Amino acid sequence: MRLTVLGSGSAFSTCGCNAGYLVDGRVLVDCGAPVPALVRRAATSIHAITLILLTHFHADHSFTLPTILGARAFADVTSAGMLVIGGPVGTREYVSRLLGDGYGSHIRNEVDVNVAPVYAVLQDGSDVELAGYRVQSHAVVHSTGPSLAYRVTDANGVSIGFSGDSEMCGGLRRSIAGCDLFVCECTGWDGPTPGGHLWSDEVAGLMVENPGTRFLLSHLAERHPLPGALVAHDMLSLEISSVAT
Ligand SMILES: [Zn+2]
């Protein structure tokens, strides 16, 4: 399972693009980074993406989605397959609003006709197969709701988890269990950060609680080392195998 970090920075960070993660070149988790350009640098294409998962509706996780949909709507590519967009309740309405506010009803209609995304409403406890991956969802606590953490598992049983944005909560803890790699937000470094985020001491505690899971710190306001963890940077690409193999 290959993970490519498109954006490792927090909402107002200058140390990396906003959130975006690519799994196997086909699954996109969050759309804050300038995805269309970065997927080319990752030697793939937005037309290869079959599943987009939104963790929540903040701008740094979603504002590039209209450009992805517009690019697919107007591309002269006939091989693009079905696109599933999964997210919290309200995702369809949120995406429609983004398209309409960003580009107007004409582009929204082009997307509806030429892309025709299929929406999957996800919520706490959802455990579904989407685009060939098992997707498990856990509600987390953030400054906007609803917000979800995801665990994405491939056909070989390899799992990558994504915290989204979250303060310490039960849903976050449940989302880590069993993951081979957990992409964990670490917005704060020296102390608690307002807005429903984690900071380094809390992440260090989660690592102690989950010794079988590798942690990749992301959504960073600044970049520091944390013993035992990987620290993300934009365009970092990792091949993830199961801890059992
Ligand atoms: Zn964020």
Side-chain angles (χ1 to χ4, degrees):
M1 210 173 183
R2 177 155 292 276
L3 173 74
T4 303
V5 176
L6 301 179
S8 60
S10 62
F12 310 116
S13 167
T14 58
C15 76
C17 291
N18 283 161
Y21 307 94
L22 200 58
V23 176
D24 294 336
R26 299 199 298 268
V27 179
L28 179 65
V29 180
D30 281 336
C31 310
V35 173
L38 294 181
V39 292
R40 285 189 67 162
R41 288 174 55 189
T44 183
S45 156
I46 57 167
H47 303 290
I49 295 170
T50 54
L51 173 63
I52 296 175
L53 296 172
L54 292 181
T55 59
H56 63 289
F57 301 152
H58 271 160
D60 58 312
H61 296 254
S62 61
F63 267 21
T64 307
L65 185 51
T67 64
I68 299 170
L69 297 175
R72 284 179 68 126
F74 289 103
D76 188 21
V77 175
T78 55
S79 60
M82 186 176 77
L83 177 66
V84 178
I85 300 176
V89 62
T91 292
R92 177 196 294 268
E93 294 78 7
Y94 176 71
V95 173
S96 179
R97 203 162 63 243
L98 276 185
L99 280 164
D101 288 349
Y103 295 111
S105 58
H106 167 65
I107 301 300
R108 186 171 58 200
N109 293 340
E110 292 287 339
V111 169
D112 285 345
V113 172
N114 295 333
V115 183
V118 173
Y119 287 90
V121 177
L122 304 172
Q123 58 188 344
D124 189 44
S126 291
D127 186 347
V128 294
E129 182 167 325
L130 297 173
Y133 292 82
R134 181 182 181 189
V135 177
Q136 295 163 276
S137 307
H138 297 277
V140 295
V141 177
H142 185 43
S143 58
T144 186
S147 299
L148 296 173
Y150 294 119
R151 178 179 171 184
V152 178
T153 305
D154 72 5
N156 297 317
V158 181
S159 283
I160 301 176
F162 298 88
S163 66
D165 287 1
S166 176
E167 62 182 51
M168 190 64 76
C169 62
L172 177 73
R173 285 194 159 94
R174 287 191 294 278
S175 72
I176 302 169
C179 288
D180 297 295
L181 180 83
F182 191 71
V183 182
C184 191
E185 77 124 288
C186 189
T187 308
W189 187 256
D190 294 323
T193 301
H197 290 290
L198 299 172
W199 69 290
S200 56
D201 273 15
E202 292 174 319
V203 175
L206 291 171
M207 291 168 58
V208 170
E209 294 172 14
N210 297 274
T213 298
R214 281 196 290 168
F215 276 66
L216 176 64
L217 311 187
S218 194
H219 202 273
L220 306 167
E222 44 187 319
R223 192 166 283 103
H224 295 279
L226 184 67
L230 301 168
V231 180
H233 57 78
D234 294 0
M235 302 310 296
L236 172 68
S237 190
L238 298 170
E239 186 67 30
I240 309 301
S241 57
S242 171
V243 291
T245 59

